[in-house]
Amino acid sequence: MANLTLSVDDDILQKAREAAVRDHTSVNALVRDYLIRYVDAKSRRLEAIEALDALAARSTSRSTEAWSRDELHLRQG
């Protein structure tokens, strides 16, 4: 496991320490958990974009002309 040095505003660090104490954990664990969630969310977004791109590539539906703003917002009802 690698070590990481961060610069954090004193007030934020103090609040993070207080939150960690309340949660019976450490600031180190809070940062590690945040980074895990951040990377996981980024990966899921990229996977979703790739899935949409693949779906669009397989689609046979194509518009041959540009739509107007009014046509895009036209509601049937």
Side-chain angles (χ1 to χ4, degrees):
M1 189 174 295
N3 286 324
L4 174 66
T5 301
L6 299 172
S7 296
V8 179
D9 183 75
D10 291 335
D11 292 337
I12 296 296
L13 181 56
Q14 183 58 39
K15 289 177 183 178
R17 285 180 174 146
E18 292 167 4
V21 168
R22 282 192 305 274
D23 292 342
H24 306 287
T25 190
S26 65
V27 172
N28 186 63
L30 292 175
V31 171
R32 184 175 49 244
D33 291 346
Y34 170 79
L35 290 174
I36 289 168
R37 286 191 314 273
Y38 175 79
V39 169
D40 184 52
K42 277 282 202 192
S43 295
R44 285 181 296 160
R45 278 192 297 271
L46 288 174
E47 288 172 7
I49 289 169
E50 289 171 0
L52 286 172
D53 285 345
L55 179 63
R58 291 192 311 265
S59 175
T60 57
S61 176
R62 299 281 188 253
S63 294
T64 58
E65 53 189 68
W67 294 355
S68 71
R69 187 178 201 296
D70 290 337
E71 290 170 325
L72 289 173
H73 296 283
L74 181 64
R75 302 256 194 258
Q76 298 286 329

